[in-house]
């Protein structure tokens, strides 16, 4: 049986110390930063994804063990494997992966890990189910659980459903963290790409209270003149 240790054994020789140093700066791993203490092997994402494809039949429990790795790229690989298995799995497989995903959010602890998985596991599982868990996650003290909540709604947006994105955006409007401002603004922008009128109803209501970063992300695809109106606080 292939194990988490086998995947680690394949990944670790692929590391590059220069890339690792850059990644530890880029992903804010210094004391006091959001990913303090995270460790990197120094492997580019396409290479990690290639290994995830190679080990796509890794037993699910071994994928969860890999997700507990101290190395960022190994956790990313585990999530890529789980996303693939969720997509190919039956209802029992998908339910198992969803439950273990939410039970291991302490290991899904950087923005790229969330963004590569939340809308591919949490969103699809909740598509035809009660979504109250997203509001619970959005109220969590964990930055990463709050980001999972809003990013998961990308799946709903893709299917033309905007209500949860808008409701969660309102709930997260006063969130203290820049990474949530960016995530909410991004999801609002995705709503606007499909229906700008719906996005603007939300923005006109909240533009003066929204964090500046959130607003900038949300209006990124607007015309230059419309962006200027919002940033100047006189859009109507």
């Amino acid at each position: 049986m292939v194990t988490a240790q086998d995947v680690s054994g394949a990944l670790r020789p692929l590391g590059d110390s220069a890339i690792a140093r850059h990644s530890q700066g880029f992903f804010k791993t210094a004391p006091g930063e959001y990913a303090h203490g995270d460790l990197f092997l120094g492997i580019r994402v396409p290479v990690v994804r290639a290994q995830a494809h190679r080990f796509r039949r890794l037993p699910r429990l071994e994928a969860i063990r890999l997700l507990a790795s101290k190395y960022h790229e190994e956790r990313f690989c585990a999530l890529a494997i789980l996303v693939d298995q969720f997509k190919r799995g039956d209802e029992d497989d998908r339910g198992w992966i969803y439950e273990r995903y939410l039970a291991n959010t302490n290991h899904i602890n950087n923005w790229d890990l969330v963004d590569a998985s939340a809308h591919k596991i949490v969103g699809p599982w909740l598509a035809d189910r009660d979504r109250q868990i997203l509001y619970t996650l959005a109220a969590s003290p964990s930055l990463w659980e709050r980001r999972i909540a809003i990013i998961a709604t990308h799946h709903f947006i893709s299917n033309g459903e905007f209500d949860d994105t808008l409701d969660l955006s309102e709930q997260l409007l006063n969130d203290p963290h820049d990474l949530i401002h960016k995530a909410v603004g991004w999801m609002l922008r995705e709503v606007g790409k499909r229906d700008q009128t719906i996005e603007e109803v939300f923005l006109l209501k909240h533009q003066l209270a929204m964090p500046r970063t959130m607003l900038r992300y949300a209006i990124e695809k607007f015309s230059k003149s419309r962006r200027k109106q919002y940033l100047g606080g006189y859009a109507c």
Side-chain angles (χ1 to χ4, degrees), residues 119 150-162 165-166 169 182-200 203 214-222:
H119 66 300
I150 189 65
I151 297 299
T153 71
H154 195 297
H155 179 79
F156 311 149
I157 296 169
S158 298
N159 291 325
E161 300 177 38
F162 310 136
T165 301
L166 299 174
S169 294
K182 291 176 179 178
V184 171
W186 172 22
M187 290 303 103
L188 290 172
R189 184 173 74 236
E190 291 299 315
V191 170
K193 284 163 63 175
R194 293 157 178 83
D195 193 323
Q196 186 167 322
T197 298
I198 288 177
E199 182 190 2
E200 291 213 55
L203 295 179
M214 187 185 295
L215 180 60
R216 285 186 179 277
Y217 269 62
I219 63 175
E220 188 176 275
K221 298 298 182 180
F222 287 11

Side-chain angles (χ1 to χ4, degrees), residues 4 22 25 82 113 119 125 171 175 202 207 209 213-214 228:
H22 175 268
L82 289 168
L113 303 179
H119 66 300
W125 181 255
Q171 181 175 332
D175 194 279
F202 182 92
Q207 61 179 313
T213 297
M214 187 185 295
K228 185 176 180 180

